[in-house]
Amino acid sequence: MTSDRQDRHQGSKSQYVFISGAISGIVEGLSIQPLELLKTRFQINPGQPLRLLPTVREVLREGGVLQFYRGGLPEIVGLIPRATAALSTLEFSQRQLRRSSGGVLSPGGAYLSGALSGVSEGIAFAPFQVIKVRLMAKEHLGRYRNTWDCLAKVVRQEGVLALTTGLGPTLWRNCVWNSLYYGTMHQLEDPREGMGLLPAIENPVLAAARTILVGTAVGMMATCFNAPFDVVKSRFQALLPEDRVARGYRFTLPALASIASREGPAALYKGFVPKALRLGIGQTIGLMVFQRSLKAFGIDREQQT
C-alpha cells in the first residue's frame, strides 16, 4: 500500500519532471554557449585544423564578446525542449526499468535509459541545430541577419524538411554519448546511499564540485566515441543542399568514410576539446540542476523504486 501511495504521489507530480528539464536546459545553454560556437567552427572547417587561441581572437574581431553568442538564441531555446525531452525520457525510463527489475536499476538498464534519452533528444533538438550551425558558419556570415531571418530563408529556399537535416548523425551522436554518460554516472553516483562506486560526501559544496569534475571526465570519455558523428552532423547542417550533394553527404556512415578518406582520420575529431568540455561541463551542470529541481518540487528520486 505504501508503495502504491508513493507511485501515485510521484505520478501526480510528473509535470514537474518536464519543468525541471526546461530549467536545466536554460542554465546549461547560458553556461556553455561560447564553447558551442568554437566547437562548431572547428568541425565545419574542411581545411587544416583550427587552433583554439587564434579562433578565439578571430571571433572577437568579428563582433566582440557577444559574437560568442551568435547562434545562441536557437541553441539556448532549443536546449529547453532538448533537455526536457532527454531528461524526462531518462527519468521515466529509469523509473520503469527499476520497477521491472525489482526496484533496482541494473547497469544495463542505466545504459539503455541513456540511449533512449538520446532518441527523444535528437528529434526535439535537430531543427534548432540546423539554424544554429548556419548562423555560426563563417561561410554564411552576411547571408542571414538573425535567427528568424535564417529560419525563414531555410524554410522558403530549402523546404520545411531542411530542418531535419543531419537527423541521422544526430541520433547516432546522442544515443552513443547519452548511453555512456548517463549509464556511467549512474554507476558512479547512484542516488541511493551507499550504492554508487564513489563514496557519499556530506558537504554539498564538495559533493557538487566532485560531480562537476567526475562528470567532465566521464563526458570527455564519452566524447571519444561520439565525436565523429558530431562532425558529420555539423557538416550536413552547415552546407546548402547543392553543396551536400556535391560532397556526397547523404548518409552517416558513408560520410564518415568520405571525411576520413579526404581529410584524414583526425578530421573526425575536429573540435574535440571544446566539444568535450562543452558536453562534460554543460551536461553535468544540466543534470545537477535537473536533480535539484526535482528535489525542490518534492520528487524524491531515491523513492522511485
Side-chain angles (χ1 to χ4, degrees):
M1 292 296 291
T2 301
S3 177
D4 290 340
R5 283 197 300 270
Q6 286 177 347
D7 288 344
R8 286 195 298 269
H9 176 67
Q10 300 291 353
S12 67
K13 293 189 173 184
S14 293
Q15 71 272 21
Y16 293 121
V17 175
F18 297 101
I19 295 172
S20 297
I23 294 171
S24 73
I26 295 171
V27 174
E28 178 187 343
L30 291 172
S31 65
I32 48 78
Q33 182 58 30
L35 289 170
E36 181 67 27
L37 182 136
L38 292 173
K39 181 211 76 166
T40 302
R41 285 283 181 94
F42 279 35
Q43 289 178 336
I44 62 180
N45 172 54
Q48 291 296 315
L50 298 176
R51 292 183 297 163
L52 183 60
L53 291 180
T55 303
V56 169
R57 289 194 291 267
E58 182 179 35
V59 173
L60 289 173
R61 285 196 299 268
E62 290 172 7
V65 174
L66 290 179
Q67 188 70 2
F68 283 102
Y69 284 84
R70 179 174 173 81
L73 180 61
E75 175 73 10
I76 294 170
V77 171
L79 279 170
I80 298 174
R82 190 227 76 179
T84 302
L87 294 174
S88 298
T89 301
L90 181 74
E91 185 70 17
F92 292 133
S93 61
Q94 285 184 347
R95 190 182 304 179
Q96 294 302 318
L97 289 167
R98 282 193 190 98
R99 288 174 179 167
S100 65
S101 59
V104 177
L105 183 63
S106 67
Y111 288 102
L112 174 60
S113 61
L116 292 173
S117 75
V119 176
S120 59
E121 175 185 5
I123 294 172
F125 202 32
F128 299 93
Q129 289 273 289
V130 172
I131 303 303
K132 177 212 73 174
V133 171
R134 291 291 183 88
L135 287 170
M136 289 182 173
K138 274 194 349 181
E139 56 264 44
H140 296 312
L141 290 177
R143 182 188 296 271
Y144 308 116
R145 293 192 304 274
N146 52 45
T147 298
W148 305 114
D149 181 61
C150 181
L151 174 62
K153 286 180 178 176
V154 168
V155 171
R156 184 172 63 251
Q157 297 170 3
E158 304 171 40
V160 175
L161 288 180
L163 297 176
T164 65
T165 300
L167 180 59
T170 296
L171 292 176
W172 277 98
R173 176 195 73 166
N174 290 5
C175 290
V176 169
W177 196 92
N178 288 21
S179 176
L180 291 172
Y181 178 81
Y182 290 119
T184 303
M185 288 297 288
H186 180 82
Q187 301 309 306
L188 294 175
E189 296 189 335
D190 192 315
R192 295 168 301 159
E193 184 175 355
M195 297 300 294
L197 296 177
L198 296 176
I201 297 178
E202 296 297 329
N203 186 303
V205 176
L206 293 178
R210 186 182 71 176
T211 296
I212 292 175
L213 289 174
V214 171
T216 301
V218 173
M220 296 186 77
M221 177 276 293
T223 302
C224 293
F225 295 91
N226 91 325
F229 299 112
D230 199 30
V231 170
V232 173
K233 176 205 76 76
S234 294
R235 295 287 183 92
F236 276 33
Q237 293 174 340
L239 295 173
L240 298 174
E242 58 271 20
D243 296 324
R244 284 198 299 275
V245 172
R247 296 195 188 186
Y249 291 167
R250 296 185 61 198
F251 302 105
T252 302
L253 298 182
L256 279 174
S258 175
I259 293 171
S261 174
R262 294 177 183 179
E263 304 173 38
L268 297 176
Y269 285 86
K270 285 184 174 181
F272 179 85
V273 172
K275 171 182 167 58
L277 291 173
R278 177 253 179 273
L279 285 174
I281 297 173
Q283 295 283 69
T284 301
I285 290 173
L287 183 60
M288 289 172 61
V289 171
F290 178 71
Q291 292 173 345
R292 280 155 180 74
S293 295
L294 290 182
K295 288 184 178 180
F297 288 127
I299 300 178
D300 189 347
R301 302 182 76 237
E302 295 183 22
Q303 294 180 3
Q304 290 179 5
T305 57

